[in-house]
Amino acid sequence: MADSPSDSTTADSTTAADTGADTATDAAARADAPAAGRSAPSRPVYVIGGGPGGLAASYALRARGVRAVVLERSDRVGASWRGHYDRLRLHTTRRLSALPGLPMPRRFGRWVARDDVVRYLEKYAEHHELEIVTGVEVSRVERAADGTGWLLRATGGRELTGSAVVVATGFNHTPRLPEWPGRAGYAGELLHASAYRGPQPFAGRDVLVVGAGNTGAEIAVDLAEGGAGRVRLAVRTVPHIVRRSTAGWAAQYTGVLCRRLPVALVDRLARPLARLSVPDLSAHGLPRPETGLYSRVKEGAIPVQDVGLIDAVRGGAVEVVAAVDGFEDGEAVLADGSRIAPDAVVAATGYARGLEDLVGHLGVLDARGRPVVHGPRTPADAPGLYFTGFTNPISGMLRELAADAGRIAKAIDKAAAAGKSS
């Protein structure tokens, strides 16, 4: 990783010597001090999470002269990206995936690989000299005792007070593994997709992938191409499948153009396009969905971008089966009543946001545990608390994180200028 900055860029400042626990402790303790040379209030804005959303928000605040301190629970920025499976590439284009203030290098190609995303995030933190404290996990956010600002309770008994808080802990925070009946009695290997790295451990084995979102579809293809003996994909709700790019036109471009159009209109326009670009896979267990594409997006289901699934299903390399209802006598019991006995099960069953302990007591989450507001909007009963990265937009997550960063920084700066509690 020749283009990556040293780990020193992720300590209490971009010039700190190391990222060990002692350094993080000292940095967190000093984080309430005023930024040098500034007359702004001594309390900084705390950004929780050192992923793309947190880094972008920190840069946008810094660009406005607002001191922002990123608190990252791991020892390096971009922790979630480091843990993704090896073959992962962005499904969004390089140009529309860059964060504000630093383009992604052209040498990364149009569809940026996981390791290059990590390199970019490291370089981003270094280039903008962001103030990042690693090894500090915030467990709870509360209103400050004096009624202005926020109190953050973190590891090691730390209590930090900030003028505002940006929560950027990520859409994919806590792996969600269903409590299938009989799961404990399954004798084969069972792992969540977050623990999957590549197909090598599954060579020659019978593998069932559960979940037909982008992650499940790509892992199934990876296993089929990587030497698994048999690959089946368990599908409960048939996904919309789109080509990642058609004649050079990226699916993301269409998403950007359509994101503010009426849902019903986009649904109507998407149907003939799907018939033209994606073959009918009904005979292989993947009929065309009855629900409109954009209607499904609004429900939280992003279309599956084809990175080999169509050919794998048509060629029989990936077999589509019914959803898993449970396990019994060492077998997986499927929704259609059939049973199969795979050697391993990879559960691409999604993630929870993991916000309940952090901010659930503030009344800012909906029934699904997601923030009731995001971007520059702040909850009416929790002014100065902002959220970024908790939606899954059709126009691309990184693109929207970049846009949200500027909006959030503007809102915080405006509130501070007006003398309000932010």
Side-chain angles (χ1 to χ4, degrees):
M1 294 173 58
D3 297 303
S4 302
S6 67
D7 286 344
S8 65
T9 62
T10 56
D12 92 282
S13 72
T14 55
T15 58
D18 61 334
T19 58
D22 290 341
T23 301
T25 301
D26 295 342
R30 293 193 299 270
D32 284 327
R38 292 190 62 235
S39 59
S42 60
R43 291 177 177 176
V45 174
Y46 281 110
V47 181
I48 306 175
L55 298 182
S58 178
Y59 161 74
L61 287 162
R62 183 182 178 90
R64 286 181 169 270
V66 178
R67 185 185 177 202
V69 179
V70 178
L71 303 176
E72 167 56 41
R73 65 177 179 173
S74 72
D75 61 350
R76 292 175 292 180
V77 299
S80 63
W81 277 95
R82 298 173 193 275
H84 287 313
Y85 48 93
D86 295 341
R87 73 172 277 156
L88 177 65
R89 289 181 175 271
L90 290 179
H91 292 169
T92 53
T93 66
R94 170 179 53 81
R95 289 186 177 181
L96 294 186
S97 299
L99 302 180
L102 187 68
M104 285 188 172
R106 292 188 63 179
R107 67 180 180 276
F108 286 177
R110 193 182 196 194
W111 312 107
V112 182
R114 178 202 63 186
D115 288 349
D116 285 333
V117 173
V118 172
R119 290 185 178 96
Y120 173 73
L121 295 178
E122 291 177 329
K123 186 66 177 179
Y124 191 87
E126 178 188 49
H127 178 79
H128 292 304
E129 299 182 341
L130 303 181
E131 188 173 357
I132 302 170
V133 185
T134 59
V136 175
E137 182 173 8
V138 179
S139 58
R140 189 175 176 89
V141 176
E142 302 173 353
R143 293 178 179 84
D146 62 3
T148 63
W150 295 92
L151 172 68
L152 287 71
R153 301 189 185 279
T155 49
R158 301 179 185 90
E159 294 186 352
L160 309 172
T161 53
S163 59
V165 174
V166 180
V167 180
T169 49
F171 192 84
N172 296 338
H173 185 271
T174 305
R176 184 170 54 212
L177 191 63
E179 291 291 339
W180 286 302
R183 190 184 80 182
Y186 174 60
E189 182 179 0
L190 173 62
L191 68 154
H192 189 270
S194 59
Y196 177 89
R197 294 296 175 267
Q200 295 81 7
F202 304 94
R205 300 171 68 188
D206 184 341
V207 186
L208 173 67
V209 180
V210 182
N214 277 291
T215 297
E218 190 158 0
I219 288 177
V221 172
D222 194 36
L223 287 164
E225 294 177 352
R230 184 177 188 179
V231 181
R232 284 175 281 201
L233 179 63
V235 179
R236 185 173 300 278
T237 303
V238 179
H240 284 274
I241 303 174
V242 299
R243 300 287 188 182
R244 186 169 64 176
S245 179
T246 303
W249 179 265
Q252 184 187 12
Y253 298 161
T254 303
V256 172
L257 294 174
C258 292
R259 65 184 301 267
R260 298 194 184 280
L261 293 177
V263 173
L265 174 61
V266 177
D267 285 348
R268 288 198 298 270
L269 294 174
R271 290 189 185 99
L273 180 61
R275 294 191 183 95
L276 289 172
S277 61
V278 178
D280 185 0
L281 300 174
S282 298
H284 302 282
L286 286 178
R288 298 191 189 278
E290 296 181 1
T291 309
L293 184 149
Y294 205 22
S295 293
R296 291 282 296 279
V297 170
K298 290 297 185 181
E299 295 171 357
I302 294 295
V304 170
Q305 292 204 16
D306 177 44
V307 289
L309 180 66
I310 292 174
D311 289 343
V313 169
R314 294 176 76 183
V318 173
E319 306 168 48
V320 178
V321 298
V324 173
D325 276 351
F327 293 88
E328 189 174 319
D329 298 328
E331 297 179 319
V333 180
L334 305 184
D336 61 2
S338 62
R339 297 182 176 215
I340 59 176
D343 300 319
V345 176
V346 180
T349 46
Y351 296 78
R353 309 292 82 82
L355 293 172
E356 287 78 6
D357 291 341
L358 185 69
V359 296
H361 56 285
L362 298 172
V364 296
L365 304 179
D366 64 16
R368 295 191 295 174
R370 301 186 182 189
V372 295
V373 298
H374 69 277
R377 298 170 59 200
T378 187
D381 295 333
L385 182 63
Y386 300 85
F387 296 89
T388 184
F390 296 98
T391 60
N392 203 4
I394 194 173
S395 50
M397 174 71 82
L398 292 176
R399 179 182 182 274
E400 295 307 316
L401 286 175
D404 270 352
R407 299 184 190 115
I408 291 171
K410 181 179 179 180
I412 290 175
D413 196 26
K414 182 178 178 181
K420 296 179 179 179
S421 173
S422 303

